[in-house]
Structure formats: C-alpha cells, structure tokens
Amino acid sequence: MRQAIDLRHAYRLLNHGPTVLVSACHEGRANLMPAAWVMPLDFHPPRVAVVIDKAAYTRQLIEASGRLALSVPCAAQAALVHRLGGYSGATRDKFTPPEGACALDEPQAASPLVAGCVAWLDARLLREPHVEQSYDLFLAEVTAAWADARVFHQGRWTFDQAGDALRTLHHVAGGHFLTPGRALDAGSGEG
Amino acid sequence: MRQAIDLRHAYRLLNHGPTVLVSACHEGRANLMPAAWVMPLDFHPPRVAVVIDKAAYTRQLIEASGRLALSVPCAAQAALVHRLGGYSGATRDKFTPPEGACALDEPQAASPLVAGCVAWLDARLLREPHVEQSYDLFLAEVTAAWADARVFHQGRWTFDQAGDALRTLHHVAGGHFLTPGRALDAGSGEG
C-alpha cells in the first residue's frame, strides 16, 4: 500500500495539521517521539519545521546524523502514539514491539520509518543552530515521501473511502485526539 | 460567545493543526491572509511560528507594527477563507464585507481579529531576521487569546455539541479542506 509520492505533493501530507512521529538513527541506535508541533515550510524543495525538546533522545540522534523522518500515524495507532510520548528511548528501545513501534523496511529512507502509519517523509536537517538552541526549532528538507494509497491518492487525502482506523491523528492535549471528518470544497464557486 | 482563555491553554487552539487567518495593522491600514503553515512553538510563554510569503501585504504590516493576530476560522467561512487567499490587500481592502472579512471590536487586541471565527490569538513578533529572510518564517509570542465558548470549553475543543458550521478548517490544497470529525481518547488505558 506504501507508494512513493511526487515531492511537489509532499507538503500535503502535513498541510492539514496531523501529529507525527519523528524518528532518527545514528550508529546503530534508533529512536522516535510524537510531535504535534510540525508544519510545512516550503513547497519546492519541500521543507518542514518541527519543534523538538532539548530533553528528547531523538534530538541527539537527529543532531548526530543530520537526518530525521516524519511518519504520520493513524487512528488505529492512537494508544501507541500516546504511549511513545510517555517514556524516553534513552532507557527503553522504542522500536521494539509490542510496547514500542515497528520499523518499516524501506531501503530508500535514511532514517527509520514507522510501520502502520499512513504517510512518511524522509528529510535532511537544515542546520540552523540559533533557532535550534533558542526555540527548539528544527528545519529540514524532505528528500523522499510516501503515502498509503488507500488514504492518499492523486495528491489528496481520501479518508472517506478507507474507514476510520486510517484517519490521521490531530492531538489536542493529554492523549485527546481529533480525526478528520467531513471534507469541504471551496475551490469552485463562492459557496 | 467570545471568552478570554488562560494563556496556558493558548497552544491548544492550534495544536490540532487548523488553518488560520493572519492579520495585522499599521498606521490605519489593516490586512489579513490565510495561512495553513502555522504551529505552536512553546507552552509558556505561549509562542507560535507561521510562514508568511515575501509577496504578502500582511507581512509588510507585521514587520512595520511588530504585531500580528491569528484568527481560527470555521467551516461556515470556508468560501471566505479561500477567497481571501485569492487577491492582495494592497489593492483591495480585505476588511470590507461582503467580499472581505469583518473585524471584531476587541479593545484588548493590538491587531484586528476576524469576526465569525472560533478562536483568536493576539501576538507580538519575536524578531528573527535570519529565518524571516531565509525561510519566510515568523515567530511570535501570544499576549492574549480568546475562543468561542460553544466550541472550546475548559481547554478542549467541543465541536460535537455545536454543529458542523463551527468546526475548524484544515486546508489540504486548492480550497479543499478537512474538518474535525470523531475524537479519540488515548489518555487512559492502553486502548
């Protein structure tokens, strides 16, 4: 179901504001963390911005490798996403199921992608030490992107055709998520 | 229906990834623009990050005034939001209904807030010239926040109780929006 998508459409995987799992690896160690504070930063080349706390072990791996990946989880993974935010990968491996996540086998990705998600963006860090230090803000350029063709097709999310389990997660607070419902088209006519 | 909210909860107005209207005013001129690329940046003090293109007239007003506001529009405003992204306020006033938006009378806000929206954040610019120039990225500190009590209550969005017209808008592309549907709670138990 995972299909590579045109990099011109990569921003659309994040444009509607889903919570993501940020992952990285370095010298045989891998980790991931949930992040709701993420957004597109540019269309072409596709760039993203994400906030990563200084205490996060994943941040160490991003800084060491200069790479990160974003996996976009779905409703079926709500408990997993919440749980992964509750402990540090410095002490317990987060890529070991069933407590942790399962990594995808995707040879084109430099950072580990999370299985069961509905979209993925592999990216290289754009080094900006000042905003990293002052705001915990990391900027990155997307080098490859994939989506689950059941829910992302021809540059659009198509959740209605696939069932509630594959809808993206939008965190409010404390493990309370919203998922996308009705779609609206204002693109033609005044509505 | 507009109620001031605790600044500790201000991030929750953006945490689930809604598209916003960014507005500013300077020396009697006001303007606004839709922006999907916006996210919280910190809890306390609440900070936000937003991408604003160099061609945007609103950007000139933000830079001149050092202030901006974010209004969170709802489904009833989908056509308005799309329309406001289609022309420049440099040539036609965007705060004149019916084509444009209507400004709220909120004396506590330094920048104009948009009527009919469901949440509002008034903010002062955190000057970061390098990322402003290189990435069109603007950082700001929220100084006041309000929400429509029909849909945001005790720090949570409560869309199900208010009808579809008041749900937030999450832009995918080309005037195609998703609105929040089902909520999930992963905060207790393993789910």
Side-chain angles (χ1 to χ4, degrees), chain A residues 47-108:
Chain A
R47 289 172 167 169
V48 297
V50 59
V51 179
I52 303 175
D53 193 76
K54 288 182 180 62
Y57 179 50
T58 302
R59 176 163 165 166
Q60 294 180 35
L61 301 179
I62 293 170
E63 290 175 330
S65 68
R67 304 280 322 189
L68 70 156
L70 307 177
S71 299
V72 182
C74 61
Q77 299 172 298
L80 173 69
V81 172
H82 184 62
R83 194 165 66 238
L84 289 168
Y87 66 100
S88 172
T91 51
R92 274 185 295 167
D93 183 6
K94 287 195 185 179
F95 270 111
T96 301
E99 187 187 37
C102 184
L104 275 180
D105 179 20
E106 174 48 70
Q108 298 300 313

Side-chain angles (χ1 to χ4, degrees), chain A residues 15-17 37-40 79 82-83 128 130 135 156 170-172 175-177 179 181-186 190, chain B residues 15-17 37 39 41 79 82-83 128 130 135 156 170-172 175-177 179 181-186 190:
Chain A
N15 216 66
H16 69 307
W37 298 0
V38 59
M39 66 177 180
H82 184 62
R83 194 165 66 238
E128 290 292 350
H130 171 62
Y135 301 101
R156 290 284 173 96
H170 301 249
H171 195 228
V172 178
H176 179 72
F177 296 95
T179 61
R182 197 161 65 99
L184 291 176
D185 272 292
E190 288 293 285
Chain B
N15 216 66
H16 68 306
W37 298 359
M39 66 177 180
L41 184 62
H82 184 62
R83 194 165 65 237
E128 290 293 349
H130 170 62
Y135 301 101
R156 290 283 173 97
H170 300 249
H171 194 228
V172 178
H176 179 71
F177 296 95
T179 61
R182 197 162 65 99
L184 291 176
D185 272 293
E190 288 294 285

